[in-house]
Amino acid sequence: MSNPLALAALTLLQERPMHPYEMSATLRERRKDESIKLNYGSLYSVIEALQRHGLIEAQETTRAGRRPERTVYAITEAGHREAEDWLSELVSRPVKEFTQFEAALSLLGALPVDDGVRLLRLRLASLTMDAAKAAAIQQAVAGFPRVFMLENEYEAALRDAEIRFVTGLLRDIEDGTLSGLDGWRRIHELRASGLSPEEIDAKLRQEFPVLSPEVNPPN
């Protein structure tokens, strides 16, 4: 299993037996839904998978009045081992995470330069606003044990790093020091002129020979 929600369910059940609704409410109360994607339907799917793999087991089923039945689940010995091994691996071993912004940066050249600058400025404004909101929340929970706020601290560090990156990228584009900027602009100028892809390719090879595969053959 690879769904972080499953690991969250196992760690909750290490505290005490719970039914899925209580798990969901506890995760939201602790603001873990800001770090782990959570919705009630997916939680039920996770619970079924955990039970199928023998990591949790139904302890009892109760009904309050006319409400639907609620099954309380408890973690098994196998579940305890899985939670410890899984969390240990996540903490100790870095893995490649394919973020949406990284994908967008890899394809940024498909946009005209001015559009790229405008959109990066919008992103920077949004990041700055998010940072201000997070700082206000951090101020409100000052004194709360740090060990329970580590994910917020990590998120803030990532956000600060992204703000620095986007700020620097915008500076390099606007002052003309970004390597390849002329080629980026020229591609879109040629596309706007109505030339065929073959004609555009020929002109780019002529004007920017360093990009030619004859000069830089693939490895």
Side-chain angles (χ1 to χ4, degrees), residues 101-145:
F101 186 46
E102 182 180 351
L105 287 172
S106 74
L107 304 170
L108 187 61
L111 293 171
V113 175
D114 291 344
D115 286 353
V117 168
R118 176 177 57 82
L119 296 168
L120 285 168
R121 287 207 168 280
L122 286 174
R123 185 180 190 90
L124 182 59
S126 180
L127 287 168
T128 303
M129 188 178 301
D130 288 345
K133 290 179 181 176
I137 293 174
Q138 202 69 19
Q139 185 78 18
V141 297
F144 199 72

mmCIF file of all heavy atoms in Angstrom, residues 101-145:
data_model
loop_
_atom_site.group_PDB
_atom_site.id
_atom_site.type_symbol
_atom_site.label_atom_id
_atom_site.label_comp_id
_atom_site.label_asym_id
_atom_site.label_seq_id
_atom_site.Cartn_x
_atom_site.Cartn_y
_atom_site.Cartn_z
ATOM 1 N N PHE A 101 4.144 21.907 -10.167
ATOM 2 C CA PHE A 101 4.905 23.092 -10.543
ATOM 3 C C PHE A 101 6.184 22.690 -11.275
ATOM 4 O O PHE A 101 6.596 23.351 -12.234
ATOM 5 C CB PHE A 101 5.228 23.941 -9.315
ATOM 6 C CG PHE A 101 5.900 25.251 -9.637
ATOM 7 C CD1 PHE A 101 5.427 26.063 -10.659
ATOM 8 C CD2 PHE A 101 6.999 25.679 -8.912
ATOM 9 C CE1 PHE A 101 6.034 27.280 -10.970
ATOM 10 C CE2 PHE A 101 7.619 26.880 -9.203
ATOM 11 C CZ PHE A 101 7.137 27.683 -10.238
ATOM 12 N N GLU A 102 6.812 21.613 -10.837
ATOM 13 C CA GLU A 102 7.999 21.141 -11.535
ATOM 14 C C GLU A 102 7.657 20.763 -12.970
ATOM 15 O O GLU A 102 8.406 21.073 -13.909
ATOM 16 C CB GLU A 102 8.598 19.941 -10.800
ATOM 17 C CG GLU A 102 9.871 19.416 -11.450
ATOM 18 C CD GLU A 102 10.461 18.223 -10.724
ATOM 19 O OE1 GLU A 102 9.985 17.892 -9.622
ATOM 20 O OE2 GLU A 102 11.409 17.628 -11.269
ATOM 21 N N ALA A 103 6.508 20.089 -13.156
ATOM 22 C CA ALA A 103 6.067 19.735 -14.505
ATOM 23 C C ALA A 103 5.836 21.000 -15.336
ATOM 24 O O ALA A 103 6.225 21.070 -16.509
ATOM 25 C CB ALA A 103 4.793 18.901 -14.433
ATOM 26 N N ALA A 104 5.199 22.009 -14.727
ATOM 27 C CA ALA A 104 4.931 23.260 -15.433
ATOM 28 C C ALA A 104 6.220 23.960 -15.840
ATOM 29 O O ALA A 104 6.346 24.485 -16.950
ATOM 30 C CB ALA A 104 4.078 24.180 -14.566
ATOM 31 N N LEU A 105 7.220 23.962 -14.943
ATOM 32 C CA LEU A 105 8.507 24.596 -15.262
ATOM 33 C C LEU A 105 9.191 23.887 -16.427
ATOM 34 O O LEU A 105 9.826 24.527 -17.268
ATOM 35 C CB LEU A 105 9.415 24.585 -14.037
ATOM 36 C CG LEU A 105 9.048 25.558 -12.919
ATOM 37 C CD1 LEU A 105 9.910 25.286 -11.688
ATOM 38 C CD2 LEU A 105 9.207 27.007 -13.363
ATOM 39 N N SER A 106 9.062 22.569 -16.482
ATOM 40 C CA SER A 106 9.710 21.820 -17.555
ATOM 41 C C SER A 106 9.091 22.130 -18.912
ATOM 42 O O SER A 106 9.716 21.872 -19.950
ATOM 43 C CB SER A 106 9.625 20.315 -17.271
ATOM 44 O OG SER A 106 8.318 19.813 -17.499
ATOM 45 N N LEU A 107 7.882 22.664 -18.909
ATOM 46 C CA LEU A 107 7.164 22.977 -20.145
ATOM 47 C C LEU A 107 6.930 24.474 -20.323
ATOM 48 O O LEU A 107 6.195 24.887 -21.223
ATOM 49 C CB LEU A 107 5.804 22.251 -20.150
ATOM 50 C CG LEU A 107 5.874 20.725 -19.973
ATOM 51 C CD1 LEU A 107 4.479 20.158 -19.752
ATOM 52 C CD2 LEU A 107 6.549 20.059 -21.162
ATOM 53 N N LEU A 108 7.565 25.294 -19.508
ATOM 54 C CA LEU A 108 7.298 26.728 -19.508
ATOM 55 C C LEU A 108 7.557 27.370 -20.871
ATOM 56 O O LEU A 108 6.880 28.320 -21.267
ATOM 57 C CB LEU A 108 8.147 27.413 -18.442
ATOM 58 C CG LEU A 108 7.874 28.902 -18.193
ATOM 59 C CD1 LEU A 108 6.437 29.125 -17.720
ATOM 60 C CD2 LEU A 108 8.865 29.471 -17.183
ATOM 61 N N GLY A 109 8.527 26.845 -21.611
ATOM 62 C CA GLY A 109 8.850 27.403 -22.915
ATOM 63 C C GLY A 109 7.721 27.343 -23.916
ATOM 64 O O GLY A 109 7.760 28.036 -24.953
ATOM 65 N N ALA A 110 6.694 26.540 -23.651
ATOM 66 C CA ALA A 110 5.549 26.466 -24.555
ATOM 67 C C ALA A 110 4.687 27.725 -24.487
ATOM 68 O O ALA A 110 3.844 27.956 -25.354
ATOM 69 C CB ALA A 110 4.694 25.238 -24.236
ATOM 70 N N LEU A 111 4.892 28.549 -23.453
ATOM 71 C CA LEU A 111 4.182 29.822 -23.326
ATOM 72 C C LEU A 111 5.065 30.953 -23.829
ATOM 73 O O LEU A 111 6.292 30.895 -23.699
ATOM 74 C CB LEU A 111 3.829 30.094 -21.858
ATOM 75 C CG LEU A 111 2.815 29.184 -21.182
ATOM 76 C CD1 LEU A 111 2.780 29.488 -19.686
ATOM 77 C CD2 LEU A 111 1.435 29.387 -21.792
ATOM 78 N N PRO A 112 4.473 32.015 -24.378
ATOM 79 C CA PRO A 112 5.267 33.196 -24.694
ATOM 80 C C PRO A 112 5.917 33.755 -23.433
ATOM 81 O O PRO A 112 5.379 33.595 -22.326
ATOM 82 C CB PRO A 112 4.235 34.169 -25.271
ATOM 83 C CG PRO A 112 3.122 33.305 -25.766
ATOM 84 C CD PRO A 112 3.073 32.145 -24.811
ATOM 85 N N VAL A 113 7.057 34.413 -23.594
ATOM 86 C CA VAL A 113 7.805 34.909 -22.445
ATOM 87 C C VAL A 113 6.958 35.830 -21.572
ATOM 88 O O VAL A 113 6.938 35.690 -20.344
ATOM 89 C CB VAL A 113 9.076 35.648 -22.912
ATOM 90 C CG1 VAL A 113 9.789 36.272 -21.714
ATOM 91 C CG2 VAL A 113 10.010 34.698 -23.647
ATOM 92 N N ASP A 114 6.261 36.775 -22.182
ATOM 93 C CA ASP A 114 5.468 37.727 -21.394
ATOM 94 C C ASP A 114 4.367 37.030 -20.603
ATOM 95 O O ASP A 114 4.070 37.414 -19.468
ATOM 96 C CB ASP A 114 4.864 38.801 -22.307
ATOM 97 C CG ASP A 114 5.922 39.738 -22.879
ATOM 98 O OD1 ASP A 114 7.045 39.739 -22.348
ATOM 99 O OD2 ASP A 114 5.621 40.447 -23.850
ATOM 100 N N ASP A 115 3.768 35.999 -21.203
ATOM 101 C CA ASP A 115 2.757 35.228 -20.476
ATOM 102 C C ASP A 115 3.389 34.490 -19.300
ATOM 103 O O ASP A 115 2.810 34.416 -18.209
ATOM 104 C CB ASP A 115 2.070 34.224 -21.400
ATOM 105 C CG ASP A 115 1.092 34.887 -22.365
ATOM 106 O OD1 ASP A 115 0.847 36.101 -22.218
ATOM 107 O OD2 ASP A 115 0.584 34.187 -23.265
ATOM 108 N N GLY A 116 4.576 33.918 -19.531
ATOM 109 C CA GLY A 116 5.265 33.232 -18.451
ATOM 110 C C GLY A 116 5.551 34.155 -17.284
ATOM 111 O O GLY A 116 5.342 33.794 -16.122
ATOM 112 N N VAL A 117 6.008 35.373 -17.595
ATOM 113 C CA VAL A 117 6.287 36.350 -16.542
ATOM 114 C C VAL A 117 5.012 36.713 -15.785
ATOM 115 O O VAL A 117 4.995 36.757 -14.547
ATOM 116 C CB VAL A 117 6.935 37.619 -17.149
ATOM 117 C CG1 VAL A 117 6.962 38.750 -16.126
ATOM 118 C CG2 VAL A 117 8.343 37.306 -17.636
ATOM 119 N N ARG A 118 3.938 36.960 -16.521
ATOM 120 C CA ARG A 118 2.672 37.345 -15.878
ATOM 121 C C ARG A 118 2.179 36.246 -14.940
ATOM 122 O O ARG A 118 1.758 36.523 -13.802
ATOM 123 C CB ARG A 118 1.629 37.628 -16.957
ATOM 124 C CG ARG A 118 0.232 37.947 -16.418
ATOM 125 C CD ARG A 118 -0.728 38.281 -17.551
ATOM 126 N NE ARG A 118 -0.821 37.208 -18.527
ATOM 127 C CZ ARG A 118 -1.586 36.127 -18.375
ATOM 128 N NH1 ARG A 118 -2.332 35.983 -17.266
ATOM 129 N NH2 ARG A 118 -1.633 35.196 -19.317
ATOM 130 N N LEU A 119 2.248 35.000 -15.400
ATOM 131 C CA LEU A 119 1.749 33.891 -14.596
ATOM 132 C C LEU A 119 2.653 33.604 -13.394
ATOM 133 O O LEU A 119 2.170 33.257 -12.314
ATOM 134 C CB LEU A 119 1.611 32.647 -15.473
ATOM 135 C CG LEU A 119 0.568 32.785 -16.587
ATOM 136 C CD1 LEU A 119 0.680 31.639 -17.584
ATOM 137 C CD2 LEU A 119 -0.838 32.848 -16.008
ATOM 138 N N LEU A 120 3.945 33.763 -13.569
ATOM 139 C CA LEU A 120 4.856 33.595 -12.441
ATOM 140 C C LEU A 120 4.615 34.667 -11.385
ATOM 141 O O LEU A 120 4.721 34.396 -10.178
ATOM 142 C CB LEU A 120 6.307 33.643 -12.924
ATOM 143 C CG LEU A 120 6.806 32.386 -13.654
ATOM 144 C CD1 LEU A 120 8.147 32.664 -14.327
ATOM 145 C CD2 LEU A 120 6.929 31.202 -12.691
ATOM 146 N N ARG A 121 4.290 35.875 -11.829
ATOM 147 C CA ARG A 121 3.980 36.942 -10.868
ATOM 148 C C ARG A 121 2.691 36.634 -10.108
ATOM 149 O O ARG A 121 2.593 36.910 -8.908
ATOM 150 C CB ARG A 121 3.869 38.292 -11.589
ATOM 151 C CG ARG A 121 5.207 38.832 -12.038
ATOM 152 C CD ARG A 121 5.202 40.354 -12.131
ATOM 153 N NE ARG A 121 6.561 40.853 -12.296
ATOM 154 C CZ ARG A 121 7.430 40.999 -11.315
ATOM 155 N NH1 ARG A 121 7.093 40.665 -10.080
ATOM 156 N NH2 ARG A 121 8.651 41.457 -11.542
ATOM 157 N N LEU A 122 1.718 36.052 -10.791
ATOM 158 C CA LEU A 122 0.484 35.637 -10.108
ATOM 159 C C LEU A 122 0.794 34.563 -9.069
ATOM 160 O O LEU A 122 0.267 34.592 -7.953
ATOM 161 C CB LEU A 122 -0.531 35.107 -11.126
ATOM 162 C CG LEU A 122 -1.231 36.140 -12.009
ATOM 163 C CD1 LEU A 122 -2.098 35.439 -13.059
ATOM 164 C CD2 LEU A 122 -2.095 37.071 -11.162
ATOM 165 N N ARG A 123 1.649 33.623 -9.429
ATOM 166 C CA ARG A 123 2.013 32.564 -8.486
ATOM 167 C C ARG A 123 2.735 33.152 -7.286
ATOM 168 O O ARG A 123 2.474 32.764 -6.138
ATOM 169 C CB ARG A 123 2.887 31.523 -9.181
ATOM 170 C CG ARG A 123 3.212 30.332 -8.286
ATOM 171 C CD ARG A 123 4.075 29.301 -8.977
ATOM 172 N NE ARG A 123 4.150 28.083 -8.170
ATOM 173 C CZ ARG A 123 3.319 27.070 -8.255
ATOM 174 N NH1 ARG A 123 2.324 27.099 -9.125
ATOM 175 N NH2 ARG A 123 3.454 26.006 -7.477
ATOM 176 N N LEU A 124 3.653 34.083 -7.545
ATOM 177 C CA LEU A 124 4.412 34.692 -6.463
ATOM 178 C C LEU A 124 3.490 35.442 -5.502
ATOM 179 O O LEU A 124 3.654 35.369 -4.279
ATOM 180 C CB LEU A 124 5.473 35.637 -7.034
ATOM 181 C CG LEU A 124 6.393 36.315 -6.028
ATOM 182 C CD1 LEU A 124 7.151 35.285 -5.202
ATOM 183 C CD2 LEU A 124 7.378 37.235 -6.755
ATOM 184 N N ALA A 125 2.507 36.143 -6.060
ATOM 185 C CA ALA A 125 1.554 36.863 -5.210
ATOM 186 C C ALA A 125 0.754 35.893 -4.344
ATOM 187 O O ALA A 125 0.529 36.140 -3.150
ATOM 188 C CB ALA A 125 0.608 37.701 -6.073
ATOM 189 N N SER A 126 0.353 34.765 -4.934
ATOM 190 C CA SER A 126 -0.408 33.768 -4.189
ATOM 191 C C SER A 126 0.447 33.134 -3.094
ATOM 192 O O SER A 126 -0.008 32.934 -1.957
ATOM 193 C CB SER A 126 -0.916 32.691 -5.153
ATOM 194 O OG SER A 126 -1.660 31.714 -4.470
ATOM 195 N N LEU A 127 1.692 32.830 -3.415
ATOM 196 C CA LEU A 127 2.605 32.249 -2.422
ATOM 197 C C LEU A 127 2.847 33.215 -1.266
ATOM 198 O O LEU A 127 2.870 32.812 -0.096
ATOM 199 C CB LEU A 127 3.943 31.901 -3.080
ATOM 200 C CG LEU A 127 3.963 30.692 -4.014
ATOM 201 C CD1 LEU A 127 5.261 30.666 -4.812
ATOM 202 C CD2 LEU A 127 3.801 29.402 -3.220
ATOM 203 N N THR A 128 3.015 34.483 -1.596
ATOM 204 C CA THR A 128 3.256 35.489 -0.564
ATOM 205 C C THR A 128 2.045 35.624 0.355
ATOM 206 O O THR A 128 2.182 35.756 1.579
ATOM 207 C CB THR A 128 3.586 36.845 -1.216
ATOM 208 O OG1 THR A 128 4.718 36.676 -2.088
ATOM 209 C CG2 THR A 128 3.920 37.887 -0.170
ATOM 210 N N MET A 129 0.853 35.566 -0.238
ATOM 211 C CA MET A 129 -0.372 35.636 0.559
ATOM 212 C C MET A 129 -0.502 34.413 1.469
ATOM 213 O O MET A 129 -0.852 34.530 2.648
ATOM 214 C CB MET A 129 -1.585 35.732 -0.367
ATOM 215 C CG MET A 129 -2.900 36.001 0.342
ATOM 216 S SD MET A 129 -4.278 36.158 -0.833
ATOM 217 C CE MET A 129 -3.696 37.537 -1.823
ATOM 218 N N ASP A 130 -0.189 33.247 0.919
ATOM 219 C CA ASP A 130 -0.239 32.018 1.716
ATOM 220 C C ASP A 130 0.747 32.084 2.883
ATOM 221 O O ASP A 130 0.449 31.629 3.989
ATOM 222 C CB ASP A 130 0.085 30.806 0.846
ATOM 223 C CG ASP A 130 -1.033 30.464 -0.123
ATOM 224 O OD1 ASP A 130 -2.149 30.976 0.060
ATOM 225 O OD2 ASP A 130 -0.769 29.697 -1.067
ATOM 226 N N ALA A 131 1.923 32.645 2.622
ATOM 227 C CA ALA A 131 2.930 32.759 3.675
ATOM 228 C C ALA A 131 2.445 33.668 4.797
ATOM 229 O O ALA A 131 2.666 33.385 5.981
ATOM 230 C CB ALA A 131 4.237 33.290 3.088
ATOM 231 N N ALA A 132 1.768 34.752 4.430
ATOM 232 C CA ALA A 132 1.240 35.675 5.437
ATOM 233 C C ALA A 132 0.158 34.998 6.278
ATOM 234 O O ALA A 132 0.120 35.147 7.510
ATOM 235 C CB ALA A 132 0.693 36.925 4.764
ATOM 236 N N LYS A 133 -0.724 34.233 5.632
ATOM 237 C CA LYS A 133 -1.769 33.513 6.354
ATOM 238 C C LYS A 133 -1.160 32.481 7.306
ATOM 239 O O LYS A 133 -1.584 32.335 8.453
ATOM 240 C CB LYS A 133 -2.710 32.821 5.370
ATOM 241 C CG LYS A 133 -3.592 33.760 4.564
ATOM 242 C CD LYS A 133 -4.459 32.973 3.597
ATOM 243 C CE LYS A 133 -5.334 33.880 2.749
ATOM 244 N NZ LYS A 133 -6.113 33.109 1.747
ATOM 245 N N ALA A 134 -0.148 31.751 6.800
ATOM 246 C CA ALA A 134 0.498 30.730 7.626
ATOM 247 C C ALA A 134 1.183 31.363 8.827
ATOM 248 O O ALA A 134 1.172 30.806 9.931
ATOM 249 C CB ALA A 134 1.495 29.942 6.790
ATOM 250 N N ALA A 135 1.785 32.527 8.627
ATOM 251 C CA ALA A 135 2.459 33.211 9.733
ATOM 252 C C ALA A 135 1.451 33.627 10.797
ATOM 253 O O ALA A 135 1.727 33.551 12.002
ATOM 254 C CB ALA A 135 3.205 34.429 9.205
ATOM 255 N N ALA A 136 0.263 34.056 10.363
ATOM 256 C CA ALA A 136 -0.786 34.445 11.308
ATOM 257 C C ALA A 136 -1.262 33.240 12.119
ATOM 258 O O ALA A 136 -1.477 33.329 13.334
ATOM 259 C CB ALA A 136 -1.948 35.079 10.566
ATOM 260 N N ILE A 137 -1.409 32.099 11.434
ATOM 261 C CA ILE A 137 -1.822 30.872 12.129
ATOM 262 C C ILE A 137 -0.744 30.441 13.118
ATOM 263 O O ILE A 137 -1.038 30.043 14.255
ATOM 264 C CB ILE A 137 -2.099 29.748 11.108
ATOM 265 C CG1 ILE A 137 -3.327 30.093 10.263
ATOM 266 C CG2 ILE A 137 -2.290 28.417 11.819
ATOM 267 C CD1 ILE A 137 -3.587 29.122 9.132
ATOM 268 N N GLN A 138 0.509 30.541 12.684
ATOM 269 C CA GLN A 138 1.619 30.168 13.555
ATOM 270 C C GLN A 138 1.650 31.029 14.814
ATOM 271 O O GLN A 138 1.942 30.548 15.912
ATOM 272 C CB GLN A 138 2.941 30.313 12.776
ATOM 273 C CG GLN A 138 4.094 29.506 13.327
ATOM 274 C CD GLN A 138 3.910 28.005 13.133
ATOM 275 O OE1 GLN A 138 3.124 27.582 12.299
ATOM 276 N NE2 GLN A 138 4.625 27.222 13.922
ATOM 277 N N GLN A 139 1.313 32.298 14.632
ATOM 278 C CA GLN A 139 1.272 33.217 15.776
ATOM 279 C C GLN A 139 0.162 32.808 16.740
ATOM 280 O O GLN A 139 0.334 32.872 17.963
ATOM 281 C CB GLN A 139 1.018 34.645 15.260
ATOM 282 C CG GLN A 139 1.074 35.725 16.320
ATOM 283 C CD GLN A 139 2.490 36.089 16.694
ATOM 284 O OE1 GLN A 139 3.416 35.785 15.951
ATOM 285 N NE2 GLN A 139 2.665 36.736 17.826
ATOM 286 N N ALA A 140 -0.964 32.355 16.156
ATOM 287 C CA ALA A 140 -2.114 31.991 16.985
ATOM 288 C C ALA A 140 -1.864 30.735 17.809
ATOM 289 O O ALA A 140 -2.453 30.570 18.887
ATOM 290 C CB ALA A 140 -3.344 31.798 16.106
ATOM 291 N N VAL A 141 -1.016 29.843 17.297
ATOM 292 C CA VAL A 141 -0.764 28.588 18.013
ATOM 293 C C VAL A 141 0.603 28.609 18.694
ATOM 294 O O VAL A 141 1.147 27.553 19.037
ATOM 295 C CB VAL A 141 -0.858 27.381 17.050
ATOM 296 C CG1 VAL A 141 -2.254 27.262 16.484
ATOM 297 C CG2 VAL A 141 0.175 27.486 15.934
ATOM 298 N N ALA A 142 1.147 29.795 18.881
ATOM 299 C CA ALA A 142 2.448 29.916 19.554
ATOM 300 C C ALA A 142 2.372 29.244 20.926
ATOM 301 O O ALA A 142 1.407 29.418 21.672
ATOM 302 C CB ALA A 142 2.821 31.385 19.695
ATOM 303 N N GLY A 143 3.361 28.482 21.253
ATOM 304 C CA GLY A 143 3.371 27.762 22.521
ATOM 305 C C GLY A 143 2.908 26.326 22.391
ATOM 306 O O GLY A 143 3.117 25.519 23.306
ATOM 307 N N PHE A 144 2.271 25.987 21.248
ATOM 308 C CA PHE A 144 1.853 24.606 21.018
ATOM 309 C C PHE A 144 3.110 23.771 20.769
ATOM 310 O O PHE A 144 4.035 24.237 20.109
ATOM 311 C CB PHE A 144 0.922 24.539 19.805
ATOM 312 C CG PHE A 144 0.092 23.292 19.745
ATOM 313 C CD1 PHE A 144 -0.951 23.094 20.627
ATOM 314 C CD2 PHE A 144 0.362 22.320 18.797
ATOM 315 C CE1 PHE A 144 -1.720 21.947 20.572
ATOM 316 C CE2 PHE A 144 -0.395 21.166 18.733
ATOM 317 C CZ PHE A 144 -1.439 20.979 19.624
ATOM 318 N N PRO A 145 3.196 22.556 21.304
ATOM 319 C CA PRO A 145 4.412 21.758 21.147
ATOM 320 C C PRO A 145 4.846 21.627 19.686
ATOM 321 O O PRO A 145 4.052 21.264 18.822
ATOM 322 C CB PRO A 145 4.013 20.399 21.734
ATOM 323 C CG PRO A 145 2.946 20.719 22.716
ATOM 324 C CD PRO A 145 2.175 21.868 22.115
#
